[in-house]
Amino acid sequence: MTDGMEHANGDAAVPGQNAQPTPPAAPAAPAAPAAPGGYGYPQQQPPFPQQQGGYGYPQQQQPFPNQGFGPPAQSFGPAAAATMPDWEALAEDHQSRSRRRKWMWTGGIVLTACLLGGIVGTAVVRGTHDKPKTNPTASASQTGQPSAGSTVPVNTPTVPGKPNQLADHTGHADLAVSPDAEVDPVQSGGFALRLRGNTNSYAQSSSQVVDVTKSFTISAWVYNEAKDGYRTVMSQGDGSSYAFDLARDDYGGKTVWIFRVQTADGGADATSFHALSPSVDTVGKWVLLTGVYDVNQRTITLYVDGKPVGVTKVPGVWAGPGPLQVGRNRSHASWGGFWAGVIGHVQIWQQPLTPTQIGTLKEKGSVLDSVALGSWLVG
Protein backbone atom coordinates (compact mmCIF):
# COMPACT_ATOMS: atom_id res chain seq x y z
CA MET A 1 0.00 0.00 0.00
CA THR A 2 1.34 3.42 -0.94
CA ASP A 3 2.25 6.24 1.44
CA GLY A 4 3.86 3.65 3.69
CA MET A 5 0.58 2.70 5.29
CA GLU A 6 -0.25 -0.77 6.48
CA HIS A 7 -3.75 -2.02 7.12
CA ALA A 8 -3.82 -3.92 10.36
CA ASN A 9 -6.93 -5.68 11.62
CA GLY A 10 -10.24 -6.14 9.91
CA ASP A 11 -9.73 -8.38 6.91
CA ALA A 12 -12.77 -8.54 4.67
CA ALA A 13 -15.14 -11.12 6.13
CA VAL A 14 -17.81 -11.21 3.44
CA PRO A 15 -16.31 -11.10 -0.05
CA GLY A 16 -18.75 -11.13 -2.88
CA GLN A 17 -19.06 -10.80 -6.56
CA ASN A 18 -17.86 -7.55 -8.02
CA ALA A 19 -20.70 -6.88 -10.41
CA GLN A 20 -19.69 -4.87 -13.41
CA PRO A 21 -22.14 -2.34 -14.77
CA THR A 22 -23.63 -3.15 -18.09
CA PRO A 23 -22.96 -0.69 -20.89
CA PRO A 24 -25.68 1.98 -20.94
CA ALA A 25 -26.98 4.72 -22.69
CA ALA A 26 -25.90 6.50 -14.97
CA PRO A 27 -21.21 5.78 -14.67
CA ALA A 28 -19.10 7.40 -18.93
CA ALA A 29 -13.48 8.10 -20.95
CA PRO A 30 -14.56 11.29 -19.56
CA ALA A 31 -15.52 14.09 -21.89
CA ALA A 32 -15.08 15.84 -20.22
CA PRO A 33 -19.45 12.49 -16.11
CA ALA A 34 -24.28 11.46 -18.91
CA ALA A 35 -23.92 10.84 -16.80
CA PRO A 36 -23.72 8.90 -14.17
CA GLY A 37 -22.26 7.88 -15.19
CA GLY A 38 -19.52 9.57 -15.43
CA TYR A 39 -19.32 9.50 -12.47
CA GLY A 40 -18.46 12.13 -15.46
CA TYR A 41 -19.40 11.79 -12.20
CA PRO A 42 -16.84 8.42 -14.42
CA GLN A 43 -21.02 9.51 -17.17
CA GLN A 44 -21.41 11.23 -16.64
CA GLN A 45 -22.40 8.81 -17.72
CA PRO A 46 -21.50 9.37 -17.55
CA PRO A 47 -21.22 8.97 -14.31
CA PHE A 48 -26.39 8.86 -16.16
CA PRO A 49 -28.41 9.64 -22.66
CA GLN A 50 -25.54 11.77 -23.53
CA GLN A 51 -26.20 14.73 -25.45
CA GLN A 52 -23.31 15.63 -23.13
CA GLY A 53 -24.08 15.78 -19.71
CA GLY A 54 -21.73 11.21 -17.31
CA TYR A 55 -19.39 10.67 -12.82
CA GLY A 56 -20.00 12.09 -14.27
CA TYR A 57 -21.48 12.73 -13.26
CA PRO A 58 -27.82 17.03 -20.06
CA GLN A 59 -28.12 19.45 -22.87
CA GLN A 60 -31.20 21.59 -23.31
CA GLN A 61 -33.73 20.49 -25.86
CA GLN A 62 -34.00 22.75 -28.83
CA PRO A 63 -37.26 24.68 -28.83
CA PHE A 64 -39.90 23.86 -31.35
CA PRO A 65 -39.29 25.68 -34.61
CA ASN A 66 -41.98 28.17 -35.44
CA GLN A 67 -44.41 26.31 -37.60
CA GLY A 68 -46.66 27.91 -40.18
CA PHE A 69 -49.55 25.52 -40.51
CA GLY A 70 -52.14 27.94 -41.88
CA PRO A 71 -52.87 28.40 -45.57
CA PRO A 72 -50.66 30.76 -47.50
CA ALA A 73 -52.00 34.25 -48.12
CA GLN A 74 -53.93 34.56 -51.31
CA SER A 75 -53.43 37.33 -53.83
CA PHE A 76 -56.55 38.04 -55.82
CA GLY A 77 -56.72 40.22 -58.91
CA PRO A 78 -59.41 42.75 -59.67
CA ALA A 79 -62.96 41.55 -60.15
CA ALA A 80 -64.00 40.38 -63.60
CA ALA A 81 -65.99 42.73 -65.71
CA ALA A 82 -68.94 40.35 -65.97
CA THR A 83 -72.12 41.57 -64.37
CA MET A 84 -72.71 38.19 -62.64
CA PRO A 85 -70.10 36.23 -60.70
CA ASP A 86 -68.94 32.93 -62.09
CA TRP A 87 -70.40 30.75 -59.34
CA GLU A 88 -68.97 27.51 -60.73
CA ALA A 89 -65.44 28.96 -60.88
CA LEU A 90 -65.80 30.33 -57.36
CA ALA A 91 -66.99 26.96 -56.06
CA GLU A 92 -64.06 25.17 -57.66
CA ASP A 93 -61.63 27.74 -56.25
CA HIS A 94 -63.16 27.38 -52.79
CA GLN A 95 -62.89 23.59 -52.91
CA SER A 96 -59.30 23.81 -54.13
CA ARG A 97 -58.30 26.15 -51.30
CA SER A 98 -60.12 23.95 -48.76
CA ARG A 99 -58.22 20.92 -49.95
CA ARG A 100 -54.90 22.80 -49.68
CA ARG A 101 -55.81 24.07 -46.23
CA LYS A 102 -56.78 20.58 -45.03
CA TRP A 103 -53.57 19.09 -46.42
CA MET A 104 -51.41 21.72 -44.71
CA TRP A 105 -53.14 21.33 -41.35
CA THR A 106 -52.86 17.55 -41.54
CA GLY A 107 -49.16 17.81 -42.38
CA GLY A 108 -48.66 20.26 -39.54
CA ILE A 109 -50.35 17.96 -37.04
CA VAL A 110 -48.23 15.00 -38.16
CA LEU A 111 -45.04 17.06 -37.94
CA THR A 112 -45.95 18.32 -34.47
CA ALA A 113 -46.73 14.78 -33.31
CA CYS A 114 -43.35 13.59 -34.57
CA LEU A 115 -41.54 16.39 -32.78
CA LEU A 116 -43.42 15.76 -29.54
CA GLY A 117 -42.84 12.03 -29.83
CA GLY A 118 -39.10 12.54 -30.21
CA ILE A 119 -38.90 14.84 -27.19
CA VAL A 120 -41.05 12.56 -25.03
CA GLY A 121 -38.85 9.62 -26.05
CA THR A 122 -35.75 11.55 -25.04
CA ALA A 123 -37.32 12.45 -21.71
CA VAL A 124 -38.13 8.80 -21.04
CA VAL A 125 -34.54 7.79 -21.80
CA ARG A 126 -33.21 10.49 -19.51
CA GLY A 127 -35.50 9.37 -16.74
CA THR A 128 -34.10 5.85 -16.89
CA HIS A 129 -30.92 4.99 -15.03
CA ASP A 130 -28.22 4.77 -17.68
CA LYS A 131 -25.71 2.12 -16.62
CA PRO A 132 -22.13 3.33 -17.04
CA LYS A 133 -19.86 2.23 -19.84
CA THR A 134 -16.14 1.60 -19.72
CA ASN A 135 -15.53 4.96 -21.37
CA PRO A 136 -16.17 7.84 -18.97
CA THR A 137 -17.11 10.22 -21.75
CA ALA A 138 -19.88 7.87 -22.79
CA SER A 139 -21.22 7.05 -19.36
CA ALA A 140 -23.96 8.36 -17.19
CA SER A 141 -25.11 6.69 -14.09
CA GLN A 142 -26.78 9.59 -12.62
CA THR A 143 -30.40 10.52 -12.48
CA GLY A 144 -30.53 11.51 -8.85
CA GLN A 145 -33.41 13.35 -7.26
CA PRO A 146 -33.00 16.59 -5.32
CA SER A 147 -33.44 16.15 -1.58
CA ALA A 148 -35.48 18.32 0.76
CA GLY A 149 -34.07 21.82 1.02
CA SER A 150 -32.45 21.72 -2.41
CA THR A 151 -32.11 25.15 -4.02
CA VAL A 152 -30.06 24.28 -7.12
CA PRO A 153 -31.47 22.14 -9.98
CA VAL A 154 -29.79 18.72 -10.14
CA ASN A 155 -28.60 19.35 -13.68
CA THR A 156 -26.62 22.37 -12.44
CA PRO A 157 -23.28 21.10 -11.09
CA THR A 158 -21.98 24.34 -9.62
CA VAL A 159 -23.34 27.14 -7.47
CA PRO A 160 -24.87 29.85 -9.70
CA GLY A 161 -22.29 32.58 -10.19
CA LYS A 162 -19.58 30.44 -8.54
CA PRO A 163 -18.13 28.06 -11.13
CA ASN A 164 -15.48 26.79 -8.70
CA GLN A 165 -18.00 25.52 -6.14
CA LEU A 166 -19.83 22.21 -6.52
CA ALA A 167 -23.45 22.70 -5.49
CA ASP A 168 -24.80 20.50 -2.70
CA HIS A 169 -28.34 19.79 -3.86
CA THR A 170 -29.45 19.20 -0.28
CA GLY A 171 -28.35 22.75 0.56
CA HIS A 172 -26.02 21.47 3.27
CA ALA A 173 -22.41 21.98 2.16
CA ASP A 174 -21.01 23.14 -1.17
CA LEU A 175 -17.53 21.94 -2.17
CA ALA A 176 -14.71 24.24 -3.28
CA VAL A 177 -12.89 22.94 -6.38
CA SER A 178 -9.10 23.35 -6.52
CA PRO A 179 -7.41 24.90 -9.61
CA ASP A 180 -6.27 21.63 -11.21
CA ALA A 181 -9.69 19.98 -10.87
CA GLU A 182 -12.48 20.69 -13.31
CA VAL A 183 -16.16 19.93 -13.79
CA ASP A 184 -16.80 18.22 -17.11
CA PRO A 185 -20.00 17.10 -18.85
CA VAL A 186 -20.57 13.36 -19.20
CA GLN A 187 -21.61 12.22 -22.65
CA SER A 188 -24.75 10.38 -21.57
CA GLY A 189 -25.94 13.22 -19.34
CA GLY A 190 -24.87 15.07 -16.22
CA PHE A 191 -21.50 16.18 -14.94
CA ALA A 192 -18.49 14.75 -13.10
CA LEU A 193 -15.32 16.00 -11.45
CA ARG A 194 -12.08 15.31 -13.34
CA LEU A 195 -9.02 15.03 -11.09
CA ARG A 196 -5.41 14.91 -12.27
CA GLY A 197 -3.72 12.95 -9.48
CA ASN A 198 -1.63 15.82 -8.11
CA THR A 199 -1.53 17.91 -4.94
CA ASN A 200 -3.64 20.66 -6.45
CA SER A 201 -6.48 18.52 -7.76
CA TYR A 202 -9.31 17.88 -5.27
CA ALA A 203 -12.52 19.35 -3.81
CA GLN A 204 -13.43 19.98 -0.18
CA SER A 205 -16.17 21.39 2.03
CA SER A 206 -15.65 24.38 4.29
CA SER A 207 -16.54 22.41 7.42
CA GLN A 208 -17.16 18.88 8.63
CA VAL A 209 -20.08 17.17 6.91
CA VAL A 210 -20.41 13.66 8.40
CA ASP A 211 -20.91 12.99 12.11
CA VAL A 212 -18.83 9.82 12.42
CA THR A 213 -20.06 9.16 15.97
CA LYS A 214 -23.30 8.10 14.26
CA SER A 215 -24.07 5.68 11.45
CA PHE A 216 -23.37 6.94 7.94
CA THR A 217 -23.17 5.90 4.28
CA ILE A 218 -20.93 7.38 1.57
CA SER A 219 -21.19 6.61 -2.14
CA ALA A 220 -19.83 7.72 -5.53
CA TRP A 221 -19.47 6.56 -9.11
CA VAL A 222 -15.77 6.47 -10.00
CA TYR A 223 -13.54 5.97 -13.03
CA ASN A 224 -9.90 5.32 -12.10
CA GLU A 225 -7.07 5.95 -14.58
CA ALA A 226 -4.11 5.20 -12.27
CA LYS A 227 -2.57 1.73 -12.57
CA ASP A 228 -1.04 1.78 -9.11
CA GLY A 229 -0.87 3.68 -5.84
CA TYR A 230 -3.34 4.51 -3.11
CA ARG A 231 -6.11 6.62 -4.67
CA THR A 232 -8.81 8.21 -2.53
CA VAL A 233 -12.35 8.79 -3.75
CA MET A 234 -13.67 10.43 -0.60
CA SER A 235 -12.45 11.00 2.95
CA GLN A 236 -12.98 13.32 5.89
CA GLY A 237 -10.40 15.10 8.02
CA ASP A 238 -7.48 17.53 7.74
CA GLY A 239 -5.64 16.95 11.04
CA SER A 240 -3.28 14.11 11.79
CA SER A 241 -5.46 11.53 10.01
CA TYR A 242 -8.65 10.79 8.12
CA ALA A 243 -11.74 9.64 10.02
CA PHE A 244 -12.91 7.52 7.05
CA ASP A 245 -11.51 6.85 3.58
CA LEU A 246 -13.00 5.23 0.45
CA ALA A 247 -10.33 4.32 -2.11
CA ARG A 248 -8.48 1.89 -4.38
CA ASP A 249 -5.23 0.30 -3.23
CA ASP A 250 -2.42 -2.13 -3.95
CA TYR A 251 -2.81 -4.44 -0.97
CA GLY A 252 -0.86 -7.63 -0.40
CA GLY A 253 0.12 -7.81 -4.04
CA LYS A 254 -3.48 -7.35 -5.15
CA THR A 255 -5.45 -4.42 -6.52
CA VAL A 256 -8.56 -3.82 -4.43
CA TRP A 257 -11.27 -1.34 -3.51
CA ILE A 258 -11.12 -0.41 0.17
CA PHE A 259 -13.22 1.32 2.83
CA ARG A 260 -11.29 2.10 6.01
CA VAL A 261 -11.81 4.05 9.21
CA GLN A 262 -9.51 5.36 11.89
CA THR A 263 -10.48 4.28 15.40
CA ALA A 264 -8.09 6.25 17.64
CA ASP A 265 -6.48 9.65 18.03
CA GLY A 266 -3.07 9.92 16.41
CA GLY A 267 -3.84 8.13 13.17
CA ALA A 268 -1.62 5.09 13.71
CA ASP A 269 -1.71 2.33 11.11
CA ALA A 270 -2.36 -0.15 13.92
CA THR A 271 -5.68 1.52 14.74
CA SER A 272 -6.93 1.63 11.14
CA PHE A 273 -9.66 -0.91 10.27
CA HIS A 274 -10.70 -1.73 6.71
CA ALA A 275 -13.10 -3.72 4.54
CA LEU A 276 -11.66 -4.95 1.23
CA SER A 277 -12.97 -6.18 -2.08
CA PRO A 278 -11.49 -9.29 -3.68
CA SER A 279 -8.62 -8.64 -6.09
CA VAL A 280 -10.05 -6.86 -9.11
CA ASP A 281 -9.01 -4.74 -12.06
CA THR A 282 -9.61 -1.18 -10.87
CA VAL A 283 -8.52 0.69 -14.01
CA GLY A 284 -10.58 2.07 -16.87
CA LYS A 285 -14.11 1.19 -15.86
CA TRP A 286 -17.02 2.83 -14.07
CA VAL A 287 -17.69 1.44 -10.60
CA LEU A 288 -20.19 2.40 -7.91
CA LEU A 289 -18.41 2.37 -4.53
CA THR A 290 -20.39 2.56 -1.28
CA GLY A 291 -19.12 2.45 2.31
CA VAL A 292 -21.44 1.94 5.28
CA TYR A 293 -20.73 2.37 9.00
CA ASP A 294 -23.36 0.89 11.33
CA VAL A 295 -22.85 2.24 14.84
CA ASN A 296 -25.23 -0.32 16.38
CA GLN A 297 -23.65 -3.33 14.70
CA ARG A 298 -20.15 -1.82 15.05
CA THR A 299 -19.33 -2.79 11.47
CA ILE A 300 -18.05 -1.21 8.30
CA THR A 301 -19.19 -2.68 4.98
CA LEU A 302 -17.89 -2.08 1.47
CA TYR A 303 -20.25 -2.41 -1.50
CA VAL A 304 -19.06 -2.58 -5.11
CA ASP A 305 -21.68 -2.01 -7.81
CA GLY A 306 -24.46 -2.41 -5.26
CA LYS A 307 -23.26 -5.70 -3.73
CA PRO A 308 -21.48 -6.26 -0.38
CA VAL A 309 -17.91 -7.49 -0.83
CA GLY A 310 -16.35 -6.96 2.59
CA VAL A 311 -17.45 -6.41 6.20
CA THR A 312 -15.34 -5.81 9.32
CA LYS A 313 -16.07 -5.34 13.02
CA VAL A 314 -14.75 -2.05 14.43
CA PRO A 315 -14.66 -0.56 17.94
CA GLY A 316 -15.94 2.77 16.63
CA VAL A 317 -14.77 5.63 14.40
CA TRP A 318 -12.45 8.36 15.60
CA ALA A 319 -14.07 11.78 15.26
CA GLY A 320 -11.07 13.61 13.85
CA PRO A 321 -11.27 17.28 12.91
CA GLY A 322 -11.66 18.64 9.41
CA PRO A 323 -13.94 18.85 6.37
CA LEU A 324 -15.05 16.41 3.70
CA GLN A 325 -12.46 15.71 0.98
CA VAL A 326 -13.04 14.44 -2.57
CA GLY A 327 -9.97 13.08 -4.36
CA ARG A 328 -7.45 13.04 -1.48
CA ASN A 329 -6.92 11.99 2.16
CA ARG A 330 -4.98 12.99 5.24
CA SER A 331 -2.61 10.45 6.74
CA HIS A 332 0.33 10.91 9.12
CA ALA A 333 -0.34 14.67 9.04
CA SER A 334 0.23 14.96 5.28
CA TRP A 335 -1.90 14.85 2.14
CA GLY A 336 -1.89 11.85 -0.18
CA GLY A 337 -4.05 9.43 -2.13
CA PHE A 338 -4.61 11.88 -5.00
CA TRP A 339 -7.25 10.56 -7.39
CA ALA A 340 -6.49 10.34 -11.11
CA GLY A 341 -9.65 10.02 -13.13
CA VAL A 342 -13.29 10.97 -12.74
CA ILE A 343 -15.70 11.07 -9.79
CA GLY A 344 -19.43 11.73 -10.00
CA HIS A 345 -22.76 11.23 -8.28
CA VAL A 346 -21.31 11.80 -4.81
CA GLN A 347 -23.86 11.20 -2.04
CA ILE A 348 -23.83 10.90 1.75
CA TRP A 349 -26.44 9.76 4.26
CA GLN A 350 -26.34 10.07 8.03
CA GLN A 351 -27.65 6.52 8.39
CA PRO A 352 -26.64 3.00 7.37
CA LEU A 353 -28.36 2.23 4.08
CA THR A 354 -29.68 -1.31 3.79
CA PRO A 355 -28.55 -3.74 1.07
CA THR A 356 -31.90 -3.21 -0.66
CA GLN A 357 -31.49 0.56 -0.63
CA ILE A 358 -27.96 0.28 -2.00
CA GLY A 359 -29.22 -2.01 -4.75
CA THR A 360 -31.78 0.69 -5.60
CA LEU A 361 -29.00 3.27 -5.58
CA LYS A 362 -27.12 1.20 -8.13
CA GLU A 363 -30.12 0.78 -10.42
CA LYS A 364 -31.92 4.11 -10.00
CA GLY A 365 -29.18 6.54 -8.98
CA SER A 366 -31.01 7.61 -5.84
CA VAL A 367 -32.69 6.30 -2.68
CA LEU A 368 -36.16 7.82 -2.69
CA ASP A 369 -37.12 6.63 0.81
CA SER A 370 -34.15 8.32 2.47
CA VAL A 371 -33.08 11.97 2.42
CA ALA A 372 -29.38 12.44 1.69
CA LEU A 373 -27.16 14.51 3.96
CA GLY A 374 -25.15 15.72 0.96
CA SER A 375 -25.52 15.30 -2.80
CA TRP A 376 -23.12 16.58 -5.50
CA LEU A 377 -22.86 16.03 -9.26
CA VAL A 378 -26.11 14.08 -9.41
CA GLY A 379 -27.66 15.77 -12.46
Side-chain angles (χ1 to χ4, degrees), residues 154-200:
V154 293
N155 62 347
T156 304
T158 57
V159 177
K162 299 179 179 180
N164 293 325
Q165 288 192 28
L166 294 181
D168 180 358
H169 297 288
T170 68
H172 185 72
D174 299 327
L175 303 181
V177 178
S178 68
D180 284 352
E182 60 187 21
V183 179
D184 286 343
V186 179
Q187 208 171 63
S188 56
F191 295 84
L193 185 66
R194 167 162 282 288
L195 301 172
R196 304 184 184 282
N198 62 42
T199 59
N200 204 28

Side-chain angles (χ1 to χ4, degrees), residues 61-67 69 107-123:
Q61 292 294 325
Q62 295 300 319
F64 287 108
N66 292 328
Q67 303 292 339
F69 297 131
I109 291 171
V110 171
L111 177 60
T112 301
C114 291
L115 289 172
L116 288 174
I119 290 176
V120 169
T122 300

Side-chain angles (χ1 to χ4, degrees), residues 79-277:
T83 57
M84 292 293 291
D86 186 345
W87 297 112
E88 183 176 350
L90 288 175
E92 289 179 355
D93 179 71
H94 174 73
Q95 290 178 357
S96 176
R97 284 187 287 119
S98 295
R99 284 193 297 269
R100 287 199 303 270
R101 187 178 295 111
K102 182 178 179 180
W103 180 87
M104 293 184 70
W105 277 106
T106 301
I109 291 171
V110 171
L111 177 60
T112 301
C114 291
L115 289 172
L116 288 174
I119 290 176
V120 169
T122 300
V124 170
V125 170
R126 285 183 175 176
T128 303
H129 178 71
D130 185 13
K131 297 181 179 63
K133 297 177 179 177
T134 56
N135 184 335
T137 61
S139 123
S141 62
Q142 9 276 339
T143 34
Q145 303 297 324
S147 302
S150 173
T151 58
V152 180
V154 293
N155 62 347
T156 304
T158 57
V159 177
K162 299 179 179 180
N164 293 325
Q165 288 192 28
L166 294 181
D168 180 358
H169 297 288
T170 68
H172 185 72
D174 299 327
L175 303 181
V177 178
S178 68
D180 284 352
E182 60 187 21
V183 179
D184 286 343
V186 179
Q187 208 171 63
S188 56
F191 295 84
L193 185 66
R194 167 162 282 288
L195 301 172
R196 304 184 184 282
N198 62 42
T199 59
N200 204 28
S201 188
Y202 61 89
Q204 72 170 27
S205 61
S206 59
S207 60
Q208 194 171 88
V209 175
V210 183
D211 183 352
V212 298
T213 66
K214 301 175 182 178
S215 297
F216 64 86
T217 300
I218 59 175
S219 182
W221 278 98
V222 304
Y223 188 94
N224 171 48
E225 296 173 343
K227 295 182 179 180
D228 53 24
Y230 196 92
R231 307 288 174 171
T232 290
V233 175
M234 190 184 338
S235 69
Q236 183 167 281
D238 63 359
S240 61
S241 175
Y242 59 86
F244 63 78
D245 190 18
L246 184 64
R248 68 85 63 197
D249 191 18
D250 301 314
Y251 186 81
K254 302 176 181 179
T255 57
V256 298
W257 301 111
I258 182 171
F259 175 46
R260 61 177 183 166
V261 297
Q262 182 55 254
T263 64
D265 190 359
D269 292 337
T271 53
S272 172
F273 284 69
H274 55 261
L276 300 173
S277 74

